Structure formats: C-alpha cells, structure tokens
C-alpha cells in the first residue's frame, strides 16, 4: 500500500464508460449514501454525523468524508477564525440528495417490514426523534422530556426543548423533568417510521406518558412524519397479507 493511500483508494473502479457506472462508483458502497443522508437532514459536525450512523467506525467515517471532499461533493464550512468547521454538501452533493431519498422511498415500499430486534437501537431512535423535531410545534417554554425505551436494545435519554430547538442528552443533566415517556423500543420504531399511529401504541399499552395532560397529548405532534411513512405502511400491509404469521414487536 502506497503512503497516504486510504481504504477508499483501494476500492476497484468501474471502467465501463457509462453514467450509471460512474454513479455506482460514487454511491455504491455501504456508507456514502448514509453520510449524504445525515448531511441532508442537518448534521454538520463529525460527531453529529457519527451519531446518525453509529455502526460505522470513526476511522472509516473520516475516510468517507475525505473521499467525498476529493470528489467535490462535500466541503468544510468556513469559520470566523479561518479554521475548518463542520461539513456541508456542495451543489453537486445537494444534487445527490433526491437520489438518496428516492432509494429510501423505493426500499421502504418494496423491501421493508416491521422492525426486528437486530435492527433496533434505542439511542439511535432517540437521535432520530431529535432530527425529526418540528420547530413550529415545539413548546415555547423550556421543556425536558425523559425517554426510557425498554425491551431489546433499549436506551435512556433526555430531550431538551428551549428557544433554540431540541437537543439530546445521554446523561441526566439534573434538570426537572416535565414529561416522562416510557415505551417499547420496537413499537416506538413502528411509530417513528409511520407504520403505526401513536394512539395505537398507547391504546395497546406499548407506551406510557407521565406528566401534564397537555404535554402528553402534544408530544407526538412535536415530530415531523417520516418521509417514508406511506411506503412503510404499504410494505407492512403487504408483508402481513403475504404471511399472516408476521407479528409486531413483542411487548
């Protein structure tokens, strides 16, 4: 291996003179479309991007970002001190965004069923909730939500809402909790992806909210619906019709 060459440089390149081949060359690995996804939804710092893709190693993520920079798809943000800041998509990178999301819509309709234990990760779900926050619906006063996700790959975290929006904490910062949400991880995934409505989770006992009724009623409205919700519901219904034995996550 030559000095200065990374893993990305060792990936075989397509020689077929075809735009599709070139596109596969750019997007054909496991992680690059997910990096584009994270930048599209507003992640900018290295740690933010990594939290959105927790299964990639930090070393590999750094390599992917460098490769995207070399290809002119990502650039570092300028700061007032002249030092490199976070990452952002270039015009060419932004043009990839609808392609990445189109892949997601196709997969949601034709390749997805209800989530399985291997796919659950409570901390990732909490991060996704933060990414889905709808600023127009968030409380106007400081509000702290304690989330306790149970079952396989459960997790605990806090959502802090203030004038700047919503942030996530993995550790208790000692603030008074305004609303506690306890829910089964698998079923919370079903709600977040749009397969099941929140009221169904409450009615079936998969979620419990403890706090003022005004906050409990408003909580599910604080988040934007999944862009894949329609396709996910269709896919779930199709899977159940084809295999009546398919079950939802266990309580």
């Amino acid at each position: 291996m030559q000095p200065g060459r990374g893993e990305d440089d060792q990936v075989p390149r397509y020689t077929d003179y075809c735009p599709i081949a070139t596109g596969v060359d750019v997007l054909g690995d496991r992680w690059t479309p997910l990096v584009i996804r994270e930048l599209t939804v507003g992640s900018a710092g290295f740690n933010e991007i990594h939290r959105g893709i927790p299964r990639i190693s930090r070393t590999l993520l750094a390599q992917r970002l460098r490769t995207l920079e070399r290809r002119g798809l990502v650039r570092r943000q300028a700061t007032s001190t002249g030092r490199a800041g976070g990452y952002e998509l270039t015009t060419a990178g932004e043009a990839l965004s609808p392609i990445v999301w189109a892949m997601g819509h196709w997969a949601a309709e034709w390749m997805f069923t209800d989530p399985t234990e291997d796919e659950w990760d409570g901390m990732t779900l909490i991060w996704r909730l933060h990414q889905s926050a709808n600023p127009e619906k968030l409380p106007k006063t400081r509000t702290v939500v304690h989330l306790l996700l149970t079952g396989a790959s459960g997790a605990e975290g806090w959502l802090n809402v203030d004038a700047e929006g919503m942030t996530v904490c993995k550790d208790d910062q000692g603030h008074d909790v305004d609303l506690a949400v306890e829910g089964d991880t698998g079923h919370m995934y079903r709600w977040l992806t749009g397969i099941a409505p929140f009221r169904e989770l409450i009615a079936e006992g998969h979620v419990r909210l403890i706090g003022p009724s005004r906050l409990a009623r408003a909580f599910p409205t604080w988040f934007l619906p999944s862009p894949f919700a329609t396709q996910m519901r269709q896919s779930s219904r199709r899977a159940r019709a084809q295999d009546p034995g398919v079950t939802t996550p266990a309580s």
Side-chain angles (χ1 to χ4, degrees):
M1 181 173 176
Q2 298 177 9
R5 291 174 67 89
E7 178 183 329
D8 288 345
D9 298 310
Q10 302 302 307
V11 177
R13 302 305 184 194
Y14 289 89
T15 57
D16 185 6
Y17 187 68
C18 169
I20 294 176
T22 300
V24 171
D25 189 26
V26 173
L27 289 175
D29 71 88
R30 180 181 182 182
W31 301 113
T32 296
L34 301 184
V35 173
I36 299 294
R37 178 196 68 191
E38 291 305 306
L39 292 169
T40 299
V41 299
S43 296
F46 183 91
N47 290 333
E48 281 186 311
I49 298 169
H50 189 253
R51 289 187 74 175
I53 321 172
R55 298 189 182 186
I56 187 175
S57 72
R58 295 177 69 86
T59 299
L60 185 53
L61 175 57
Q63 292 173 348
R64 287 292 184 270
L65 287 167
R66 285 197 299 269
T67 296
L68 289 172
E69 283 189 84
R70 289 198 302 269
R71 288 174 169 167
L73 303 175
V74 169
R75 60 173 167 250
R76 301 298 296 270
Q77 298 171 343
T79 65
S80 58
T81 62
R83 301 179 62 183
Y87 297 89
E88 63 183 3
L89 293 170
T90 64
T91 301
E94 290 174 351
L96 272 177
S97 178
I99 297 171
V100 170
W101 289 98
M103 290 169 55
H105 283 291
W106 171 82
E109 181 168 356
W110 298 105
M111 296 291 156
F112 260 73
T113 58
D114 284 356
T116 64
E117 290 188 10
D118 291 339
E119 298 166 321
W120 301 346
D121 182 86
M123 204 62 232
T124 298
L125 191 151
I126 293 173
W127 184 250
R128 293 279 178 257
L129 280 173
H130 145 263
Q131 289 182 317
S132 302
N134 184 352
E136 295 181 0
K137 296 291 186 178
L138 293 178
K140 303 306 180 185
T141 58
R142 181 179 177 85
T143 305
V144 177
V145 179
H146 177 210
L147 283 169
L148 180 61
L149 301 179
T150 60
S153 299
E156 183 177 26
W158 285 260
L159 300 177
N160 298 320
V161 180
D162 57 26
E164 300 299 320
M166 179 181 288
T167 57
V168 177
C169 290
K170 294 193 294 183
D171 302 309
D172 188 355
Q173 302 297 304
H175 302 302
D176 291 338
V177 171
D178 300 290
L179 180 68
V181 180
E182 300 177 4
D184 175 80
T185 305
H187 284 282
M188 287 290 283
Y189 260 110
R190 296 182 69 242
W191 163 62
L192 187 60
T193 55
I195 295 175
F198 200 80
R199 63 179 179 275
E200 178 181 303
L201 271 59
I202 294 177
E204 296 180 356
H206 302 306
V207 174
R208 183 170 66 136
L209 295 94
I210 305 170
S213 58
R214 61 179 178 81
L215 290 180
R217 288 194 302 269
F219 175 76
T221 71
W222 296 352
F223 308 95
L224 295 167
S226 166
F228 308 121
T230 300
Q231 289 88 356
M232 292 290 285
R233 285 193 293 271
Q234 293 173 346
S235 182
S236 181
R237 286 195 294 266
R238 186 183 304 111
R240 293 173 187 281
Q242 294 173 349
D243 184 359
V246 170
T247 59
T248 58
S251 304

